[in-house]
Every structure is written in C-alpha cells, then in structure tokens.
Amino acid sequence: SGMGALYGPGTDKDLGSQKTRVKPEFFQQPDEVKKLALAFIKEANELQKVAATGDAAAIKAQFGKTGESCKACHDKFRKDE
C-alpha cells in the first residue's frame, strides 16, 4: 500500500510546528497495519472496477466500502483531536 513509506520512525511524535495524529501503536503492530492496508487496497481496486461500469448506485455502494476500510485504520491508529 505504501503506507509504511508515509510514516517513518519518529513520525508519531510532534516535531516543531509539524503535528501528527498517528498513534505509536501504528509502529508497534505492523501485522495489523498490513492487514488494514491490504483491505483498503482490495476495496480501492474494486472501486476502480465498479467506477468503470458507470453504475452510480454500485459506485456509491463501493465508495462506502472503500471509506469503511479507511475508517478502520483511522479508528485504530489515528489520535483524536
């Protein structure tokens, strides 16, 4: 998914004016991160296929599934503000 490249070691800490919402657990649970990332990839790839059909109802449904895969990771690994 490339998520690992987005969050290098130490990015769970605020540095200067740079604020982060990633929890330290993101770095401590790589298998869970991988599982959630693969679920997102699966749903995003399906969204691409469904979007190509032009079926608005199917696109809306799949967009919701893709969003839920995003939310699963955010719920687990993003700090609340």
Side-chain angles (χ1 to χ4, degrees):
S1 73
M3 284 193 195
L6 296 174
Y7 303 102
T11 55
D12 59 321
K13 298 168 181 57
D14 293 335
L15 299 172
S17 64
Q18 301 299 310
K19 305 296 181 197
T20 182
R21 292 177 67 190
V22 68
K23 292 180 179 178
E25 291 86 347
F26 181 89
F27 303 98
Q28 299 161 355
Q29 300 175 17
D31 291 339
E32 183 66 14
V33 171
K34 182 178 180 179
K35 181 179 105 178
L36 293 170
L38 290 173
F40 166 75
I41 291 168
K42 175 184 173 279
E43 297 301 344
N45 286 340
E46 187 62 23
L47 178 58
Q48 181 181 19
K49 291 177 191 173
V50 172
T53 69
D55 180 340
I59 294 168
K60 182 177 179 180
Q62 185 57 38
F63 186 82
K65 290 179 184 179
T66 304
E68 285 298 316
S69 70
C70 295
K71 185 178 182 312
C73 189
H74 288 197
D75 286 350
K76 188 158 189 121
F77 295 116
R78 186 174 69 176
K79 297 175 194 173
D80 294 330
E81 281 195 54

